[in-house]
């Protein structure tokens, strides 16, 4: 690695906001990353996850070599084996027996090559992607109504809107920088109104003038009723409807059955009538309205209809393609949009073309392909069903972790056992999915890869590599290209650099396009390597009409349907179903983790915000089920079970009859928290997107005899006890632990993992109270605290002690005493990750007189860098402010 000074601009690998990131320092010592000032997505800011990127660059846990059945091998052997198997499966069972499962975290260039190989050369369309779990309903609804999978607006619209309707999105945690842009716009223009529609009271509600805590699944009733109301109130844009749209009557008729009046709608949605009336009136009166929606809409059995009910409202009021007015589907992954451009979904071909005879023929000619797929392939749920049935004999999973993220995740695990060859390309060695594979191919990761991604506003940005890949890891495009060549397609896969692939992708987008397809990168063809390397962020299309990119579509009233008019879609409202168990599980994200945690779990700062998998309960449900705050709870369905920490939400953030569980924890990081194992395969019939937000579950307390924690100097993998959760700390590794039987056996299982036996132990078996530590060379190697009923929440002092080079006598005494000697401030759970400000510190400042997030920032700095914690600061103020200050 070089000591030379680095100055690289790249793009954050997490969410679809697509922030620009500045890299400096040297390869030997990357400096803490900074937001890129000139990037139009973030203008210099980064959220907590983005700010912690340099902490995730270590090679810990990386997959460094190709492996076959657990044995390291060389690339040639692994690639030959994979190519031979594909060839054999095609010749014995046909191309339909081969499947790829990709990811919105592949770069556009990787994705393009995978899709081309599968659909154009293997000759089946069985390439689907985790975007099926994410954006499929949004794609299907855009295509049904505006004729093309195109986000009409841009980020500025979110700032220019006078009414911002945020529905099924927790943007404060999932798209933090965009949320901050919205919050700043609202602060600058206090008249701007924000309505949040979400069954939970999330951090996003922090900027809401109105929060509609709707009954899950009642969105179509709500939006249909709003359409009817606007019609009755004469608030439709008649000119736009007449000139630019068709089918309004059918949509109005379908909408009219949603609810008879406000009172009935209040019953269906379980929202106060007054709040519904306010929302409807605001929508009626505000031409500049943006509806911003995400997984609460998409991940539903009627996700496509939900999205179309939103788009219908925007068409009916002509609020599309105008500054501050559009239906804005936000993308989740850093390159979900790029995946859609290259045709990563099984029902797309490439460059916004499908399987119509004309599209097939055009793409076939462009690719010079010997056998292009004839029809759409299997969508994710069906794809894994066919892996299980044995129809799919070869499966290649790239850059996704379906054993965690798919519904009925245990069935996916079972399915893999039925497949003749499962190949997984990942940058990590140890995931639930890599454990189920025969062949592992080591992929280059963020910081090492080179290519492009497209963010939620269609902006293409470069991800640039600044580090060499470790071991034998290689970029995904390279791996796929090598397989293609081994299958005999050297000429058609000549790529030596991602720039070659980007050029072909751009040329396909303009091929016989003549304005018929929105996705057009003709202005970006024939870039030299230098130009590609220097490519500045730009919104597609880039062509003669829009040489610098286009911010908004449909400002000209022209749509990409056959008639050129936008199409209203009649939506039948589905009344929400009541769970037969009286409890439904909703799932989603926390602020500081990314999906299955393979990268965010490496950063100690990110582990401190929420350190354990949990389930949020309404107090009445908790009471009914005998569940207590901060104790363990077992949640189960007919498919599987999890054990997580119960949070009883006294702040009423959780609706009665519903429980929220984060999606992140896997078998790598917790004993039993893979919530996908509980979820059934119900999905939207049009988009195929699974309903991941609504699962009937049951819950009961998970009684344990003791609780405790373990600090170690090494990662011990999974532990031999009923409950454990793993986290990294600044000084080592930490496990939360609990058990149902006498801890003695567990204690010896831990001791056995260390060679030395220099343990010092305090024990009080009658109270199941044990304190052990292992000291070697005057340094702490392990600390284990167990008690039947003890509050271990304060242990930062011990983590700090753990990092010390030399233990003092005082430290030793403190460890054995089980508490710090002398006065040590215990920060509590970290609320502000950037400045590591804890809840206890913040509460003290509030008690001492701080009354606003700004004041807290002035005093403690919390919330003054990325701002992601501001909603939590405000809720702490609301919770802990002394009574007299509130009056
Ligand atoms: N920190 C963090 N950020 C991320 C990610 C991450 O893993 N971590 N992942 C990224 C990805 S890939 C994605 S797709 C996005 C997802 O971003 P979001 O969709 O904003 O996140 P979620 O938490 O999945 O769900 C959003 C909200 O939908 C609500 N909801 C559930 N059911 C309903 C319903 O019936 N109606 C309505 N109106 N709302 C409902 C939930 O209560 C939840 O608050 O986040 C991206 N950003
Ligand atoms: N219950 C429930 N389930 C959900 C959701 C939910 O809200 N609730 N959300 C769904 C959504 S929206 C999404 S997007 C999915 C996300 O779910 P997944 O895609 O399964 O989750 P990730 O952890 O992002 O998986 C990415 C994998 O790729 C690896 N990786 C990272 N970079 C690279 C690379 O450059 N190359 C390669 N080859 N590998 C790489 C990572 O180590 C990791 O193993 O989860 C879905 N599942
Ligand atoms: S908002 Fe945060 S996670 Fe999303 S792209 Fe920006 S820095 Fe990355
Ligand atoms: Mo997603």
């Amino acid at each position: 690695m070089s000591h030379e000074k680095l100055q690289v601009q790249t793009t954050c690998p997490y969410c679809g906001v697509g922030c620009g990131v500045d890299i400096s320092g040297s390869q030997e010592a990357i400096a803490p990353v900074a937001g890129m000032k000139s990037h139009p997505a973030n203008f210099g800011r980064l959220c907590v996850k983005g700010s912690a990127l340099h902490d995730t660059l270590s090679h810990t846990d990386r997959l460094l070599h190709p492996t076959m059945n657990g044995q390291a091998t060389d690339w040639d052997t692994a690639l030959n084996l994979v190519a031979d198997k594909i060839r054999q499966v095609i010749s014995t069972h046909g191309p339909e027996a081969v499947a790829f499962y990709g990811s919105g975290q592949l770069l556009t260039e990787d994705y393009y090559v995978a899709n081309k190989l599968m659909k154009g050369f293997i000759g089946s369309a069985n390439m689907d992607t985790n975007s099926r779990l994410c954006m499929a309903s949004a794609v299907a609804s855009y295509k049904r109504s505006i004729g093309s999978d195109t986000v009409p607006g841009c980020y500025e619209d979110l700032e220019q809107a006078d009414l911002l309707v945020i529905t099924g999105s927790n943007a404060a945690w999932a798209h933090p920088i965009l949320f901050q842009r919205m919050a700043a716009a609202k602060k600058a223009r206090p008249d701007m109104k924000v309505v949040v529609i979400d069954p939970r009271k999330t951090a996003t509600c922090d900027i809401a003038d109105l929060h509609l805590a709707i009954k899950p699944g009642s969105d179509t009733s709500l939006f249909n009723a709003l359409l009817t109301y606007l019609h009755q109130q004469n608030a439709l844009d008649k000119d736009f409807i007449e000139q630019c749209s068709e089918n309004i009557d059918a949509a109005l008729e379908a909408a009219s059955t949603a609810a008879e009046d406000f009172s009935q709608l209040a019953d269906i949605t379980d929202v106060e009538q007054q709040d519904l009336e306010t929302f409807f009136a605001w929508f009626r009166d505000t031409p500049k309205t943006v509806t911003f929606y995400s997984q609460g809409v998409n991940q539903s059995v009627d996700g496509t209809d939900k999205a179309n009910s939103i788009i219908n409202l925007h068409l009916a009021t002509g609020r599309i393609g105008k500054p501050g007015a559009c239906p804005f589907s936000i993308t989740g992954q850093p390159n979900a949009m790029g995946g859609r451009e290259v045709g990563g979904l099984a029902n797309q071909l490439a460059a916004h073309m499908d399987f119509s005879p004309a599209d097939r023929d055009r793409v076939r000619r462009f690719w010079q392909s010997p056998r292009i797929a004839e029809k759409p392939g299997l969508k994710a749920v069906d794809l894994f069903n066919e892996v299980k049935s044995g129809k799919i004999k070869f499966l290649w999973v790239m850059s996704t972790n379906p054993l965690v993220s798919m519904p009925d995740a245990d069935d996916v695990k079972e399915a893999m056992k039925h497949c003749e060859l499962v190949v997984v390309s990942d940058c990590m060695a140890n995931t639930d999915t890599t454990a189920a594979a025969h062949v592992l191919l080591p992929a280059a990761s963020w910081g090492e890869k080179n290519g492009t991604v497209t963010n939620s506003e269609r902006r293409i940005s470069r991800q640039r590599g600044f580090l060499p890949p470790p071991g034998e890891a290689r970029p995904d495009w390279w791996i796929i290209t090598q397989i293609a060549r081994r299958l005999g397609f050297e000429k058609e896969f000549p790529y030596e650099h991602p720039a070659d692939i980007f050029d072909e992708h751009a040329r396909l987008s303009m091929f016989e396009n003549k304005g018929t397809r929105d996705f057009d990168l003709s202005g970006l063809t024939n870039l030299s390597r230098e130009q590609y390397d220097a490519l500045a962020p730009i919104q597609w299309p880039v062509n003669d009409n829009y040489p610098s990119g286009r911010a908004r579509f449909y400002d000209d009233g022209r749509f990409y349907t056959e008639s050129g008019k936008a199409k209203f879609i009649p939506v039948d409202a589905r009344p929400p179903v009541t769970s037969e168990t009286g409890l439904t599980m909703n799932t989603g994200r926390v602020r500081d983790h990314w999906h299955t945690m393979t990268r965010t779990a490496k950063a100690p700062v990110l582990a401190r915000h929420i350190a354990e998998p949990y389930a949020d309960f309404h107090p009445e449900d908790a009471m009914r089920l005998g569940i207590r705050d901060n104790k363990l709870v077992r949640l189960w369905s007919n498919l599987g079970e999890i054990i997580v920490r119960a949070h009883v939400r006294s702040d009423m953030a959780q609706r009665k009859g519903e429980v929220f569980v984060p999606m992140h924890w896997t078998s790598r990081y917790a004993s039993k928290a893979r919530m996908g194992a509980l979820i059934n395969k119900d999905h939207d019939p049009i988009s195929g997107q699974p309903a991941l937000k609504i699962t009937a579950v049951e819950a009961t307390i998970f009684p344990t005899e003791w609780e405790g924690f373990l600090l170690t100097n090494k990662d011990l993998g999974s532990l031999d006890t009923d409950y454990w959760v793993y986290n990294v700390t600044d000084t080592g590794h930490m496990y939360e632990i609990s058990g149902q039987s006498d801890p003695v056996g567990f204690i010896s299982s831990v001791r056995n993992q260390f060679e030395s036996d220099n343990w010092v132990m305090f024990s009080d078996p009658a109270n199941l109270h044990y304190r052990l530590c292992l000291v070697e060379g005057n340094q702490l190697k392990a600390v284990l605290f167990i008690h039947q009923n003890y509050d271990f929440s304060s242990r930062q002092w011990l983590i700090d002690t753990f990092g010390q080079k030399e233990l003092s006598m005082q430290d030793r005494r403190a460890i054995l005493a089980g508490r710090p000697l002398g006065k040590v401030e215990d920060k509590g759970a970290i609320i502000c990750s950037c400045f590591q400000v804890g809840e206890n510190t913040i509460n003290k400042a509030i008690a001492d007189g701080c009354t606003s997030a700004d004041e807290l920032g002035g005093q403690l700095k919390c919330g003054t860098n990325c701002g992601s914690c501001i909603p939590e600061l405000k809720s702490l103020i609301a919770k802990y402010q002394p009574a007299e200050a509130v009056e």
Side-chain angles (χ1 to χ4, degrees):
M1 291 226 217
S2 139
H3 291 279
E4 237 170 81
K5 258 188 143 189
L6 281 176
Q7 206 79 55
V8 178
Q9 295 191 316
T10 184
T11 312
C12 175
Y14 299 126
C15 83
V17 178
C19 298
V21 180
D22 276 342
I23 305 294
S24 59
S26 68
Q27 287 186 339
E28 277 284 313
I30 301 290
V33 303
M36 177 177 152
K37 291 223 163 46
S38 60
H39 199 292
N42 57 319
F43 298 107
R45 305 201 80 169
L46 291 177
C47 78
V48 199
K49 293 184 298 303
S51 308
L53 270 167
H54 61 281
D55 281 349
T56 65
L57 294 173
S58 78
H59 295 167
T60 317
D61 265 5
R62 286 294 297 269
L63 178 63
L64 297 174
H65 306 282
T67 70
M68 281 161 43
N69 297 322
Q71 299 298 314
T73 183
D74 58 278
W75 269 111
D76 224 27
T77 311
L79 292 167
N80 286 339
L81 176 108
V82 173
D84 286 348
K85 185 66 191 178
I86 295 177
R87 203 179 298 107
Q88 179 248 314
V89 169
I90 295 175
S91 69
T92 323
H93 306 280
E96 301 298 329
V98 177
F100 290 2
Y101 184 60
S103 161
Q105 290 164 78
L106 292 168
L107 302 181
T108 300
E109 292 76 1
D110 304 326
Y111 233 141
Y112 177 88
V113 184
N115 189 59
K116 176 178 174 182
L117 174 59
M118 189 69 204
K119 293 177 186 159
F121 292 79
I122 289 175
S124 118
N126 289 340
M127 158 139 192
D128 211 36
T129 125
N130 64 2
S131 279
R132 184 68 60 197
L133 314 178
C134 182
M135 302 313 300
S137 296
V139 174
S141 60
Y142 275 145
K143 288 181 82 161
R144 280 208 294 184
S145 57
I146 56 183
S148 165
D149 176 21
T150 308
V151 173
C154 58
Y155 292 164
E156 277 174 8
D157 291 331
L158 302 166
E159 296 163 326
Q160 293 172 355
D162 293 325
L163 172 63
L164 194 52
V165 181
I166 303 178
T167 180
S169 145
N170 183 11
W173 282 10
H175 298 97
I177 294 299
L178 262 195
F179 178 75
Q180 283 172 34
R181 287 180 63 170
M182 299 177 204
K186 182 163 167 57
K187 201 168 176 186
R189 289 190 299 120
D191 286 346
M192 170 182 182
K193 292 206 169 49
V194 178
V195 178
V196 172
I197 306 173
D198 192 310
R200 301 186 301 142
K201 186 171 156 218
T202 61
T204 303
C205 296
D206 181 46
I207 59 165
D209 298 284
L210 186 63
H211 170 213
L212 308 180
I214 56 164
K215 197 166 172 25
S218 62
D219 308 62
T220 46
S221 301
L222 178 72
F223 294 128
N224 270 358
L226 176 53
L227 183 60
T228 308
Y229 168 91
L230 296 173
H231 181 47
Q232 287 165 350
Q233 298 267 316
N234 220 358
L236 303 188
D237 184 338
K238 294 205 177 70
D239 288 346
F240 179 89
I241 292 171
E242 201 164 294
Q243 287 157 27
C244 310
S245 81
E246 56 196 20
N247 214 27
I248 176 114
D249 292 338
L252 284 174
E253 199 185 319
S256 67
T257 60
E260 274 176 12
D261 51 23
F262 273 112
S263 149
Q264 198 191 13
L265 186 64
D267 280 347
I268 296 171
T269 54
D270 198 16
V271 170
E272 293 284 330
Q273 179 168 335
Q274 172 88 53
D275 289 346
L276 293 171
E277 286 178 20
T278 305
F279 169 49
F280 281 22
W282 285 354
F283 201 102
R284 178 195 60 202
D285 298 339
T286 320
K288 283 179 145 192
T289 297
V290 171
T291 309
F292 181 86
Y293 54 101
S294 187
Q295 301 312 335
V297 169
N298 300 348
Q299 289 170 345
S300 318
V301 276
D302 58 347
T304 309
D305 276 354
K306 275 189 183 180
N308 276 121
S309 69
I310 292 169
I311 298 169
N312 282 347
L313 288 168
H314 280 264
L315 295 176
T317 49
R319 296 173 192 167
I320 186 164
K322 297 176 181 157
C326 69
F328 199 121
S329 146
I330 181 83
T331 50
Q333 296 178 88
N335 201 30
M337 193 69 92
R340 287 147 70 175
E341 291 155 17
V342 303
L345 291 160
N347 50 323
Q348 306 173 323
L349 192 46
H352 281 203
M353 286 179 273
D354 298 325
F355 289 89
S356 71
D359 282 354
R360 272 190 69 228
D361 181 58
R362 186 177 304 110
V363 179
R364 184 189 58 73
R365 282 182 287 114
F366 182 83
W367 277 345
Q368 298 280 305
S369 73
R371 48 173 174 224
I372 196 156
E374 283 167 13
K375 55 178 199 306
L378 295 166
K379 301 185 174 116
V381 171
D382 296 332
L383 188 148
F384 284 103
N385 284 343
E386 295 297 5
V387 173
K388 189 175 174 193
S389 77
K391 206 173 137 200
I392 304 274
K393 312 278 183 202
F394 172 95
L395 173 68
W396 187 351
V397 177
M398 307 171 192
S399 199
T400 174
N401 197 355
L403 261 73
V404 179
S405 52
M406 280 289 290
D408 201 354
D410 284 344
D411 200 52
V412 173
K413 191 173 178 177
E414 180 61 30
M416 298 243 185
K417 293 184 192 151
H418 295 245
C419 192
E420 290 180 9
L421 194 76
V422 177
V423 179
V424 173
S425 317
D426 205 291
C427 44
M428 299 301 168
N430 187 4
T431 75
D432 288 84
T433 304
T434 56
H438 303 105
V439 175
L440 295 180
L441 303 176
S445 184
W446 182 80
E448 302 149 12
K449 333 199 285 182
N450 195 2
T452 54
V453 290
T454 310
N455 75 2
S456 295
E457 59 166 359
R458 292 176 275 105
R459 192 179 298 280
I460 298 171
S461 296
R462 290 278 280 103
Q463 253 195 34
R464 298 183 177 89
F466 48 88
L467 287 169
E472 293 181 276
R474 296 281 183 277
D476 290 285
W477 68 264
W478 181 90
I479 304 174
I480 304 156
T481 299
Q482 291 301 315
I483 295 294
R485 292 182 186 171
R486 280 169 173 76
L487 290 172
F489 307 119
E490 295 88 353
K491 192 161 61 62
E492 296 85 352
F493 291 80
Y495 320 117
E496 295 298 333
H497 188 276
D500 307 340
I501 304 166
F502 185 83
D503 184 58
E504 187 179 310
H505 166 59
R507 283 190 290 108
L508 175 56
S509 77
M510 69 181 272
F511 185 59
E512 299 175 0
N513 185 328
K514 302 191 192 79
T516 57
R517 303 191 303 273
D518 56 352
F519 181 66
D520 179 5
L521 301 184
S522 43
L524 295 178
T525 52
N526 294 320
L527 299 183
S528 66
R529 288 262 170 101
E530 292 69 31
Q531 285 171 314
Y532 174 78
D533 276 340
L535 187 67
I538 188 164
Q539 274 175 299
W540 64 255
V542 188
N543 53 22
D544 286 347
N545 290 338
Y546 299 96
S548 317
R550 182 176 183 182
R552 294 181 187 86
F553 268 87
Y554 314 120
D555 38 358
D556 52 4
R558 183 180 160 260
F559 294 84
Y560 283 87
T561 51
E562 241 162 61
S563 61
K565 293 182 171 188
K567 195 164 179 186
F568 281 91
I569 305 295
V571 170
D572 288 323
R574 266 184 198 236
V577 239
T578 312
S579 145
E580 61 273 23
T581 59
L583 194 64
T584 54
M585 180 177 78
N586 174 6
T587 58
R589 280 134 185 97
V590 304
R591 195 190 73 191
D592 291 2
H593 277 303
W594 178 257
H595 295 163
T596 70
M597 293 174 44
T598 61
R599 287 170 299 166
T600 44
K602 285 182 160 195
V605 293
L606 299 181
R608 287 191 207 149
H609 178 233
I610 295 175
E612 277 180 281
Y614 65 91
D616 271 344
F617 282 90
H618 186 277
E620 285 180 33
D621 289 322
M623 181 105 84
R624 173 172 64 87
L625 297 163
I627 286 161
R628 281 180 296 143
D629 190 34
N630 246 341
K631 294 290 175 197
L632 296 179
V633 61
R634 185 168 85 89
L635 284 164
W636 75 98
S637 72
N638 55 342
L639 299 173
E641 67 163 6
I642 51 173
I643 297 163
V644 298
R645 183 95 33 211
H647 289 172
V648 180
R649 298 295 302 251
S650 56
D651 57 357
M652 300 299 157
Q654 187 64 44
R655 282 169 50 93
K656 201 157 73 177
E658 290 158 31
V659 51
F660 177 81
V661 174
M663 65 169 292
H664 307 288
W665 277 267
T666 70
S667 313
R668 166 82 179 88
Y669 303 109
S671 46
K672 208 171 220 185
R674 228 162 28 99
M675 47 79 240
L678 275 61
I679 299 174
N680 66 38
K681 296 179 188 175
D682 287 356
H683 54 273
D684 181 297
I686 300 155
S687 68
Q689 180 157 355
L692 298 165
K693 298 266 185 268
I694 192 160
T695 303
V697 293
E698 296 185 67
T700 185
I701 192 154
F702 182 74
T704 54
E705 293 289 317
W706 54 268
E707 297 215 59
F709 66 88
L710 169 66
L711 293 173
T712 57
N713 66 340
K714 60 180 183 185
D715 177 0
L716 302 183
S718 57
L719 298 184
D720 188 17
T721 187
D722 302 295
Y723 176 82
W724 59 262
V725 178
Y726 168 82
N727 279 302
V728 288
T729 70
D730 285 322
T731 57
H733 307 259
M734 176 161 67
Y735 289 84
E736 311 297 325
I737 45 181
S738 192
Q740 293 192 307
S741 54
D742 193 287
V744 171
F746 169 67
I747 293 173
S748 52
S749 76
V750 171
R751 289 175 64 144
N752 289 342
Q753 303 230 30
F754 293 84
E755 277 172 16
S756 153
D757 206 28
N758 282 338
W759 291 86
V760 182
M761 176 152 101
F762 159 89
S763 68
D764 169 13
N767 291 309
L768 300 184
H769 187 180
Y770 298 86
R771 287 199 301 272
L772 290 78
C773 67
L774 175 65
V775 181
E776 257 177 39
N778 217 10
Q779 248 196 320
L780 211 44
K781 300 291 175 192
V783 176
L784 174 59
F785 277 24
I786 283 174
H787 195 281
Q788 66 176 342
N789 189 13
Y790 189 71
D791 177 11
F792 291 116
S793 54
S794 148
R795 78 253 326 232
Q796 188 57 43
W797 64 276
L798 203 45
I799 294 172
D800 295 341
T801 313
F802 207 85
Q804 274 165 224
K805 292 222 160 52
E806 292 279 317
L807 276 189
S808 66
M809 274 317 287
Q810 166 133 341
D811 294 330
R812 285 169 189 249
R813 279 206 298 274
I815 295 164
L816 279 182
R819 61 190 153 72
L821 303 177
K823 203 167 159 7
V824 174
E825 193 210 358
D826 175 18
K827 293 189 205 170
I830 297 297
I831 302 293
C832 169
S833 296
C834 299
F835 295 109
Q836 291 294 300
V837 188
E839 188 170 350
N840 295 349
T841 317
I842 294 165
N843 291 347
K844 186 167 176 305
I846 296 170
D848 291 347
C850 277
T851 57
S852 67
D854 282 348
E855 283 176 30
L856 283 171
Q859 199 167 317
L860 306 172
K861 290 180 90 175
C862 50
T864 57
N865 181 38
C866 79
S868 307
C869 63
I870 291 174
E872 282 159 289
L873 296 179
K874 289 190 180 166
S875 70
L876 287 177
I877 290 167
K879 199 163 150 194
Y880 293 116
Q881 203 157 50
E884 66 273 22
V886 177
E887 278 158 26

